[in-house]
Amino acid sequence: MPDPPAPVSCPLCACDPAQTHFFSYQQKKHYFSCNICDLVFVHPAYHVTSVAERQRYETHNNDHLDERYRAFLMPVVDVLAASVPKSDHVRGLDYGCGPGPTLSLMLKEKGYPMVDDYDPYFRPSPWIDSMNAVHSSDATGENSSLCSSSLSPPASDDPAGSTSQTEVVSTAAPSTSEHPLPYDFITCTETAEHFCYPSRDWDKLTNPLLLSRHGTLVVMTQMLYTDAQFEGWWYLRDCTHVSFYRPNTFKWIATHYQLDMSFPDDLKNIVKF
């Protein structure tokens, strides 16, 4: 194993580099862990370029008619439906929808007709992108925020599989000039693990300009429950997976942003705020 690079500040809590430490060497990459928020993250030296990132997503498109993919996403729909009353006036956003928006269509079928899609590559929104400049900054000095879009796991591990994209009509999030009201709910499925600078995206997801103060946020990502799980974990095989959350990481997020948080029963990859 090559010598690990020097520790860097945590991309979520922005702690001093002295509070992060080398954690593991997997897939020819060095991973670090934060002593403050418990995030595990790949060293930024291994981040892929935006061109390579987009190319990766374009090869893993999901068909909105694929029943296995819909079954994979259905727990998010169920968790949301148990928390948010159905109404023609309830507004939602799927944050990181990827090239083949599906969850927003499922939510519309479930009784939530006003659901927008956002993805920095495939459904961009200057209004959402601009929030980074006014709501927060981090130690990286970078100007981009979400450095990726959603991508489902490899077909051999993901119940949803990976299929060719079927063209669908979806609604993109509003542009800057429209200044819409905050959303009543936001979903973020298989996206948080792609956040190169997660503090920025969590700042946006919890920004009262984007999510109503009484709104609901449902996040799906594979969680790291034990250190032993990391060894040979299939989630590391995707070069665009760079941030990995322990349950304590989500507890830190809830405390930091002053949110209520729960882990829905028997769902080990979903958290609700």
Side-chain angles (χ1 to χ4, degrees):
M1 179 189 76
D3 291 337
V8 294
S9 178
C10 174
L12 175 58
C13 70
C15 66
D16 187 276
Q19 293 294 336
T20 68
H21 63 274
F22 170 68
F23 177 67
S24 182
Y25 183 74
Q26 302 280 329
Q27 301 291 319
K28 298 181 179 181
K29 300 175 185 177
H30 293 92
Y31 294 85
F32 284 73
S33 180
C34 178
N35 298 336
I36 305 300
C37 68
D38 253 3
L39 183 78
V40 174
F41 59 96
V42 70
H43 192 278
Y46 300 103
H47 289 175
V48 300
T49 66
S50 59
V51 172
E53 187 177 40
R54 176 168 183 150
Q55 289 175 344
R56 171 66 173 158
Y57 302 146
E58 288 175 338
T59 65
H60 288 79
N61 299 332
N62 288 294
D63 190 338
H64 72 289
L65 298 176
D66 186 332
E67 292 302 323
R68 292 182 68 239
Y69 184 46
R70 292 170 73 93
F72 175 69
L73 295 175
M74 185 55 71
V76 175
V77 177
D78 292 339
V79 168
L80 188 70
S83 304
V84 181
K86 298 175 185 177
S87 168
D88 291 344
H89 304 291
V90 170
R91 300 176 63 252
L93 175 71
D94 187 22
Y95 187 99
C97 63
T102 298
L103 185 58
S104 60
L105 300 178
M106 295 172 63
L107 288 166
K108 290 173 183 176
E109 294 168 0
K110 192 73 173 179
Y112 303 97
M114 299 177 64
V115 184
D116 294 331
D117 292 301
Y118 168 70
D119 189 284
Y121 290 134
F122 306 106
R123 295 291 189 279
S125 167
W127 174 63
I128 294 177
D129 291 336
S130 67
M131 286 183 180
N132 183 64
V134 300
H135 190 59
S136 72
S137 61
D138 63 31
T140 63
E142 299 290 338
N143 292 322
S144 62
S145 57
L146 177 65
C147 69
S148 64
S149 61
S150 68
L151 176 70
S152 44
S156 59
D157 299 291
D158 176 10
S162 179
T163 63
S164 61
Q165 180 184 356
T166 298
E167 185 66 27
V168 298
V169 177
S170 66
T171 304
S175 66
T176 307
S177 61
E178 293 177 280
H179 298 293
L181 294 172
Y183 289 101
D184 299 295
F185 69 82
I186 297 177
T187 57
C188 181
T189 60
E190 291 296 314
T191 300
E193 63 275 9
H194 299 275
F195 295 163
C196 292
Y197 305 104
S199 64
R200 296 205 182 118
D201 290 285
W202 285 101
D203 281 351
K204 290 181 182 180
L205 288 167
T206 59
N207 189 330
L209 295 176
L210 189 67
L211 179 65
S212 166
R213 292 189 183 277
H214 301 289
T216 298
L217 170 62
V218 180
V219 177
M220 171 190 277
T221 186
Q222 304 300 315
M223 296 185 210
L224 182 63
Y225 284 93
T226 67
D227 289 354
Q229 176 188 341
F230 203 79
E231 184 75 23
W233 196 16
W234 64 266
Y235 221 39
L236 306 180
R237 295 206 298 265
D238 190 319
C239 64
T240 63
H241 286 186
V242 294
S243 295
F244 307 92
Y245 302 77
R246 297 181 171 103
N248 281 342
T249 310
F250 286 118
K251 293 177 182 178
W252 181 91
I253 289 171
T255 299
H256 181 72
Y257 293 104
Q258 300 181 2
L259 304 172
D260 293 329
M261 184 208 70
S262 65
F263 296 109
D265 294 341
D266 301 323
L267 296 173
K268 295 186 176 181
N269 63 338
I270 293 179
V271 60
K272 179 173 75 72
F273 298 94

